[in-house]
Amino acid sequence: MVAYLLAQNPEVQKRLYTEVVTMIEKLAEQQETEIETKNIFTFFSYDAVNLKFPLLNAVIAETQRLYPPAIFIERTASADVQLTTNEGTVLELKAGEVVHIPVWSLHRDPAYWGKDAGEFKPERFLENSSAALKNAAYLPFGAGSRMCIAQRMATVELRLALLHLVRHFRFEVCPEKTEREVTFVNQFDINSPKAVHLRIVKRRCEN
Ligand code: HEM
């Protein structure tokens, strides 16, 4: 889905490419490493991947907002409980009752994300003080004690994979084949795109 959104938003893809190549050059310089070494991953520290590529991280976060693989999560009340929402609404739950948390809908709700909630705007995640994050309206990995145990691992893998792809390839819309709207299959609560067709162009500049 990241590739799909980058193909639809070439201006973002261009900025991302610039961020990636510029930072890789800088990191290589700092460590006096030759960039021509094919395996750029040898000089990335965990911190560098996570902290030095803000747009890369924002692009992934925004993709996970628009297309969270887990479109809802659930919690079962283990005892009778009364919950009060931020707005003051009181929810009475009996032990055994299931609460369904609609992640997909929360991620696209204009009440949290503004009128442009449906648009791909990675900039949202460049500003840290997003009201949506405060209100737990962003839950790609769930929340609380049963949230995804692999959030950090999955995120660092995603970042590395995307770094590598963006550096070497450009994603383009293919007018005859690229889906205007992606449709999904939902298996075991995981939403996967049925198909995404793109043109993938190898960049000539290898650095
Ligand atoms: C981008 C990739 C991933 C996403 C978006 C994701 C998302 C999620 C979500 C939404 C939940 C439910 C959280 C909740 O109910 O609050 C979850 C749970 C879980 N995830 Fe992930 N996940 C990802 C990758 C992984 C990977 C790679 C692993 C294992 C290597 C993993 C292992 C688990 C486990 C074991 C749980 C259950 C935790 C529990 O019930 O205590 N996830 N994940």
Side-chain angles (χ1 to χ4, degrees), residues 67-73 100-105 186 189-191:
Y67 299 106
I71 58 173
F72 66 87
I73 51 178
H100 180 96
I101 300 148
V103 175
W104 180 283
S105 309
N186 195 283
D189 298 343
I190 298 295
N191 232 26

Side-chain angles (χ1 to χ4, degrees), residues 47-58:
D47 280 350
V49 177
N50 290 327
L51 303 173
K52 302 281 186 191
F53 300 90
L55 185 59
L56 178 92
N57 301 345

Side-chain angles (χ1 to χ4, degrees), residues 105-169:
S105 309
L106 282 171
H107 283 192
R108 288 165 176 261
D109 191 335
Y112 300 109
W113 304 97
K115 280 195 202 119
D116 58 1
E119 287 169 35
F120 177 67
K121 288 198 167 170
E123 286 70 25
R124 296 175 211 276
F125 287 91
L126 293 176
E127 303 141 19
N128 271 342
S129 60
S130 163
L133 299 178
K134 276 189 220 141
N135 289 324
Y138 184 66
L139 298 166
F141 291 98
S145 54
R146 299 307 296 267
M147 72 178 296
C148 181
I149 55 164
Q151 173 173 5
R152 285 197 171 82
M153 188 191 80
T155 304
V156 84
E157 280 183 353
L158 263 167
R159 289 173 181 170
L160 280 173
L162 190 58
L163 261 171
H164 188 62
L165 287 171
V166 167
R167 183 167 173 249
H168 291 291
F169 304 96

